[in-house]
Amino acid sequence: QVQLVESGGGSVESGGSLTLSCSVSGYIYYNYCLAWSRQASGSQREEVARLDEEGTTEYASAVKGRFTIFQDTARFPISRDKKNTVYLTMNNLNVDDTAMYYCGVARSCTAPTEWWDWGQGTQVFVSS
């Protein structure tokens, strides 16, 4: 069982910045993929950033150049004894970035949707 806990959400004015954090712990993963997704009210959930097994990042076109996904430590196995934290720095926010943001982990970035574990989310609200 993997536990993911997001934090750092809040309200910000358009053009502002926020950094979301996600603490990941639990089952032992030696190789894993981390991702941030979001879901706006009335919209489908969409992935905005991922950090793959090799440490390579990918971003959705809507956030590319504004959002950055990173870990604060060198990659090591996710385990019960060690918490691994992944961040999402968001700059130049606009009202379209308003959403619930979730972090997720899977053994591989190509894992089926049902194999991903996700946190409970943290709300981001951007005002104009």
Side-chain angles (χ1 to χ4, degrees), residues 13-16 62 66 91-98 126-127:
E13 292 185 350
S14 182
R66 300 187 298 121
N91 296 316
N92 194 22
L93 287 161
N94 59 65
V95 296
D96 292 332
D97 296 316
T98 294
V126 184
S127 59

Side-chain angles (χ1 to χ4, degrees), residues 28-101:
I28 296 174
Y29 281 18
Y30 290 100
N31 294 293
Y32 52 90
C33 178
L34 295 162
W36 284 93
S37 67
R38 67 185 182 186
Q39 187 166 20
S41 179
S43 299
Q44 286 192 331
R45 195 149 154 181
E46 61 172 348
E47 183 179 294
V48 295
R50 66 169 47 179
L51 183 61
D52 73 10
E53 301 93 312
E54 305 298 323
T56 301
T57 57
E58 290 184 37
Y59 299 93
S61 57
V63 307
K64 201 168 186 178
R66 300 187 298 121
F67 288 15
T68 303
I69 182 172
F70 65 98
Q71 291 177 270
D72 62 346
T73 58
R75 290 174 76 84
F76 54 83
I78 294 174
S79 71
R80 296 181 186 85
D81 299 324
K82 294 180 179 178
K83 287 190 177 179
N84 200 328
T85 304
V86 59
Y87 301 90
L88 184 69
T89 294
M90 306 182 294
N91 296 316
N92 194 22
L93 287 161
N94 59 65
V95 296
D96 292 332
D97 296 316
T98 294
M100 184 72 81
Y101 284 73

